[in-house]
Amino acid sequence: MVVVKEVISKKDLRKFVDYPNKLYKDSPYFVPATYADDLDDWNRKRNPAFEYCEAKCFLAYRDDQIVGRIGAILSHKSNKIWHTNRMRFTQVDFIDDDEVVDALFKTVETYALSLGCDEVHGPLGFSDLDREGMLVEGFEEPNLFFTYYNHPYYVKQLTRLGYTKDVDWIEYRLFDEYNPKTVESIGLISKRMQSIYKLKEANVKTHLGAYPYIKKMFALLNVAYAPLYSVVDLNDRQIRRYVNKFLPMINMDYVSFVMNEKNEMIGFGICAPSMNKAFKKSNGRLLPFGFLRVLKAMKHNDTLDMFLIAVHPDYQGKGVNAIIIDKIL
């Protein structure tokens, strides 16, 4: 028999956050998220999204053993912007068992009905900088610490329940190896676009120097991402949270801020050395020694991961992405 319990205590929340590490302990492809950040997601005092969200999370048990987890988020802001009445499910993981899956999703659907929702969709986060989506192919590739990995049977189970795909999100590997001709071509396009549209790279070398550009960057993000699936704009408290979360991992050599002749930001890109191996070895924990692995990864690496890229709608399709990629390469 499967019993689903709402997570109330801090002890149970730690079990909820840690469950994927146990479920995927034998998977070479699974990369955990940051443990502390996942805990903070459910902390109403630390997560600014609770200003416009209601949320609960649940654990499924069989014979006192955890066999699944799921979260539920009602984003009033998202429903208002997109004229929907939806509940989001989030951070869902489970063994391949019909009874477990049925119990988890029935719990979320019942909760959604109790709040007057008429649809459930996901996996989505509190905001669109949280992990989102469910892997439907590419299971032989590792995820990033800020994206999900899941077993192939997840798709089968959700299809069995009647859930259907609403949108595709596609992850790309831009370069497998260094190709001088490709780099040269991108550089030529970059110079030409800068000349035609009177654009320039902001000269930012340090984290301190980046701060004046951070507010412009998130303002641009809100504009550029507004038409994308289920996106809601970030408020000031959320922006501060994500800056504190990601900025320490950033080397400014791998950041591009593109400005127009009025010194307005019209594009940006942020990459960082891959944290996959560091987070996998530490199960997503930075303490007590995980941060040392992260510091090593930032200095000794052969792979860059792209965190974010955005171009203002007025400049999309005009080669601004080449300026960004050229600087980072």
Side-chain angles (χ1 to χ4, degrees), residues 112-170:
L113 286 171
S114 73
L115 294 178
C117 297
D118 52 30
E119 290 183 298
V120 173
H121 70 152
L124 293 162
F126 286 92
S127 87
D128 302 285
L129 293 189
D130 295 335
R131 302 191 307 284
E132 298 184 319
M134 180 170 286
L135 199 63
V136 297
E137 58 183 68
F139 299 102
E140 70 289 350
E141 298 285 348
N143 64 296
L144 308 177
F145 76 91
F146 51 87
T147 64
Y148 282 122
Y149 182 83
N150 56 263
H151 288 307
Y153 65 73
Y154 281 38
V155 181
K156 177 196 72 175
Q157 286 288 358
L158 264 75
T159 300
R160 180 183 63 80
L161 290 179
Y163 286 83
T164 58
K165 184 170 65 175
D166 211 10
V167 67
D168 275 315
W169 288 325
I170 303 174

Side-chain angles (χ1 to χ4, degrees), residues 62-271:
R62 176 184 283 146
D63 300 327
D64 295 325
Q65 296 293 317
I66 297 174
V67 289
R69 70 167 190 169
I70 197 168
I73 302 169
L74 175 57
S75 175
H76 295 287
K77 190 173 183 178
S78 177
N79 282 333
K80 182 178 180 180
I81 291 172
W82 292 95
H83 307 292
T84 55
N85 196 19
R86 291 173 159 180
M87 173 75 73
R88 299 177 169 198
F89 69 87
T90 189
Q91 296 183 29
V92 59
D93 291 288
F94 44 78
I95 63 172
D96 190 10
D97 184 288
D98 292 2
E99 185 183 13
V100 172
V101 178
D102 290 351
L104 285 170
F105 278 88
K106 182 180 179 181
T107 299
V108 169
E109 290 163 3
T110 301
Y111 179 47
L113 286 171
S114 73
L115 294 178
C117 297
D118 52 30
E119 290 183 298
V120 173
H121 70 152
L124 293 162
F126 286 92
S127 87
D128 302 285
L129 293 189
D130 295 335
R131 302 191 307 284
E132 298 184 319
M134 180 170 286
L135 199 63
V136 297
E137 58 183 68
F139 299 102
E140 70 289 350
E141 298 285 348
N143 64 296
L144 308 177
F145 76 91
F146 51 87
T147 64
Y148 282 122
Y149 182 83
N150 56 263
H151 288 307
Y153 65 73
Y154 281 38
V155 181
K156 177 196 72 175
Q157 286 288 358
L158 264 75
T159 300
R160 180 183 63 80
L161 290 179
Y163 286 83
T164 58
K165 184 170 65 175
D166 211 10
V167 67
D168 275 315
W169 288 325
I170 303 174
E171 183 178 359
Y172 292 94
R173 179 177 289 112
L174 297 182
F175 304 100
D176 278 320
E177 59 185 24
Y178 181 82
N179 185 320
K181 290 185 177 180
T182 300
V183 174
E184 182 181 3
S185 297
I186 293 173
L188 291 173
I189 296 171
S190 171
K191 290 178 182 178
R192 182 169 176 78
M193 295 305 103
Q194 290 182 63
S195 175
I196 291 174
Y197 298 109
K198 298 180 180 179
L199 306 175
K200 63 180 180 180
E201 277 277 353
N203 186 24
V204 181
K205 300 295 185 183
T206 65
H207 287 172
L208 185 62
Y211 271 101
Y213 295 90
I214 295 297
K215 191 169 184 178
K216 293 181 179 181
M217 186 192 82
F218 278 100
L220 173 58
L221 184 79
N222 282 337
V223 172
Y225 281 30
L228 301 182
Y229 182 86
S230 201
V231 165
V232 298
D233 55 293
L234 300 171
N235 61 36
D236 288 342
R237 285 188 63 215
Q238 287 176 295
I239 289 171
R240 286 195 295 272
R241 183 185 185 217
Y242 289 114
V243 169
N244 293 333
K245 177 178 179 178
F246 289 114
L247 192 60
M249 302 179 189
I250 302 301
N251 180 331
M252 298 311 297
D253 288 340
Y254 308 127
V255 175
S256 170
F257 297 131
V258 182
M259 319 298 289
N260 65 14
E261 59 184 335
K262 297 178 182 178
N263 205 36
E264 299 166 330
M265 186 180 296
I266 57 89
F268 74 86
I270 299 177
C271 291

